[in-house]
Amino acid sequence: MISSKKKLSDLERAEAGLAQVSTAIKEAESKNQTLDDPEYVPKSPCYWNPSAFHRSYLEIEKHFKIYIYEDGEPPVFHYSSSEGILGIEGILIHQIEISKFRTNDPEKAHVYFLPFSVYSIVSYVYVVDSHEWGPMKNTASDYIDSISRKYTYWNRSLGSDHFMLACNDWTPEISTAVPYLYKNSIRVLCNANTSERFNPAKDASTDGTMGENNDPEVKIHEYLPKNVSYCGMIRKSKYCICPSGYEVASPRMVEALYIGCVSVLLKDHYVAPFSDVLNWKSFAVEITSNDIPNLKKILMSITHKKYNKMQRRGKKVRQHFEVNCPPKRYDVFHMILHSIWLRRLNIQVHDT
């Protein structure tokens, strides 16, 4: 007797598994379920829904698989610097490579990592002061073209189950060189600026000039005076103003969390890191540029009780921004993967 059951492909099995995970997360969210975890159980107002986040995170640890494309010998644009303000790009690319989530079987993967470093593309290709975008965009386009010809996975999903990771400010513009990369793929960006076409529905965020004034309670400097310690000033501060600077990517909010200062996020178009999980308003003050004239009034209106709660909650979420080598549970590496995981759950890929 011939069985009428159709044998499922690897992709169909993966999609069925993701559908079950989505159902389990929604159930945890609706029933406020508490799961066992020997290390950490989210229970704070810092999270939009602690139960859903915890269930989703545990499902990642059990199931999530990433395939990393190879980009030639030697892989010219694969590696990136791990130093300086943009060093997180190189650190995270390396950590994905050696993580337990990596699979060497592309048929078993949930997502596909495009491991080209924009930092390296800029370093190798850009001619200083030339203002030429063309060569950098062509490099990104050639990379994706090579992947699409060598593998079936990009064309199968039009890039929607693929992701890139970059912290260079030029990434949003360079990624537009490949329409499906810009429109469909998950872009993990430090420059999470919606005015520069960052799309929080599919993209993920990973971590103005204000004039001087004479108010002794509000210390604002374009440049710190000599012999004044930046960290020392933050430690003495109740609130730490976190403007985005020239671009929106800034470490200021994380610096404030580490030192115990309540962040004041000055943001008009910026999507704060992990904001699909973290309730930033519970541990930070959010203002726009239009609020600047009333900044002191806004901060002074916050009660001592509310301030203490915000400060305690800020200390709770610090673990989600820690860079550990090797990575530790719930740190920035795992939070970035969780952001990618959530976005993968929102799409469905079919066999060609």
Side-chain angles (χ1 to χ4, degrees), residues 223-280:
Y223 299 102
L224 277 180
K226 291 182 178 179
N227 302 321
V228 174
S229 166
Y230 176 69
C231 291
M233 178 172 281
I234 293 180
R235 287 192 180 96
K236 294 177 183 178
S237 300
K238 190 174 179 180
Y239 296 99
C240 291
I241 301 171
C242 304
S244 59
Y246 181 73
E247 291 286 354
V248 297
S250 170
R252 296 182 185 96
M253 65 183 71
V254 179
E255 292 170 347
L257 287 173
Y258 272 103
I259 294 178
C261 183
V262 172
S263 301
V264 180
L265 307 186
L266 175 55
K267 65 190 196 73
D268 293 323
H269 307 288
Y270 178 52
V271 179
F274 318 131
S275 53
D276 42 9
V277 169
L278 297 181
N279 177 12
W280 278 85

Side-chain angles (χ1 to χ4, degrees), residues 152-185:
T152 63
Y153 310 105
W154 174 270
N155 294 326
R156 179 180 70 182
S157 69
L158 298 179
S160 62
D161 55 353
H162 289 58
F163 75 96
M164 64 175 293
L165 185 155
C167 272
N168 192 284
D169 293 337
W170 293 352
T171 302
E173 180 64 28
I174 292 174
S175 67
T176 63
V178 185
Y180 288 129
L181 177 64
Y182 159 63
K183 293 179 181 178
N184 295 346
S185 299

Side-chain angles (χ1 to χ4, degrees), residues 28-292:
E29 182 175 6
S30 62
K31 296 182 178 179
N32 197 27
Q33 296 174 337
T34 300
L35 302 173
D36 292 331
D37 192 322
E39 294 183 16
Y40 182 69
V41 177
K43 292 182 179 179
S44 168
C46 305
Y47 307 98
W48 291 114
N49 190 298
S51 299
F53 167 51
H54 193 210
R55 180 59 186 259
S56 180
Y57 185 92
L58 295 179
E59 293 291 345
I60 283 182
E61 294 186 318
K62 288 190 291 185
H63 302 295
F64 199 33
K65 295 298 179 186
I66 302 170
Y67 181 75
I68 304 177
Y69 288 118
E70 301 293 339
D71 61 351
E73 292 292 341
V76 177
F77 302 113
H78 187 99
Y79 298 104
S80 178
S81 171
S82 299
E83 299 178 353
I85 193 171
L86 302 180
I88 189 67
E89 178 180 303
I91 291 171
L92 292 173
I93 289 176
H94 174 67
Q95 289 184 340
I96 291 172
E97 281 190 319
I98 63 174
S99 78
K100 66 179 182 181
F101 301 100
R102 180 176 185 176
T103 177
N104 291 322
D105 185 352
E107 295 293 335
K108 305 294 185 184
H110 296 103
V111 294
Y112 301 83
F113 181 36
L114 302 164
F116 65 90
S117 162
V118 173
Y119 181 92
S120 292
I121 289 178
V122 172
S123 299
Y124 284 105
V125 177
Y126 180 65
V127 177
V128 178
D129 296 328
S130 68
H131 307 291
E132 287 290 333
W133 289 94
M136 294 184 291
K137 287 186 172 183
N138 290 339
T139 300
S141 181
D142 290 345
Y143 180 91
I144 300 299
D145 182 63
S146 174
I147 292 297
S148 66
R149 285 187 282 106
K150 186 175 180 180
Y151 301 89
T152 63
Y153 310 105
W154 174 270
N155 294 326
R156 179 180 70 182
S157 69
L158 298 179
S160 62
D161 55 353
H162 289 58
F163 75 96
M164 64 175 293
L165 185 155
C167 272
N168 192 284
D169 293 337
W170 293 352
T171 302
E173 180 64 28
I174 292 174
S175 67
T176 63
V178 185
Y180 288 129
L181 177 64
Y182 159 63
K183 293 179 181 178
N184 295 346
S185 299
I186 303 166
R187 300 178 303 163
V188 183
L189 308 177
C190 292
N191 189 0
N193 191 344
T194 56
S195 68
E196 294 187 12
R197 295 174 286 189
F198 177 88
N199 180 0
K202 71 169 190 68
D203 297 327
S205 172
T206 177
D207 349 286
T209 301
M210 301 176 65
E212 307 227 5
N213 66 70
N214 297 317
D215 191 326
E217 294 184 288
V218 183
K219 301 292 186 182
I220 297 175
H221 303 279
E222 184 175 2
Y223 299 102
L224 277 180
K226 291 182 178 179
N227 302 321
V228 174
S229 166
Y230 176 69
C231 291
M233 178 172 281
I234 293 180
R235 287 192 180 96
K236 294 177 183 178
S237 300
K238 190 174 179 180
Y239 296 99
C240 291
I241 301 171
C242 304
S244 59
Y246 181 73
E247 291 286 354
V248 297
S250 170
R252 296 182 185 96
M253 65 183 71
V254 179
E255 292 170 347
L257 287 173
Y258 272 103
I259 294 178
C261 183
V262 172
S263 301
V264 180
L265 307 186
L266 175 55
K267 65 190 196 73
D268 293 323
H269 307 288
Y270 178 52
V271 179
F274 318 131
S275 53
D276 42 9
V277 169
L278 297 181
N279 177 12
W280 278 85
K281 291 183 179 180
S282 72
F283 57 88
V285 180
E286 296 184 340
I287 65 171
T288 68
S289 55
N290 292 331
D291 296 319
I292 291 175

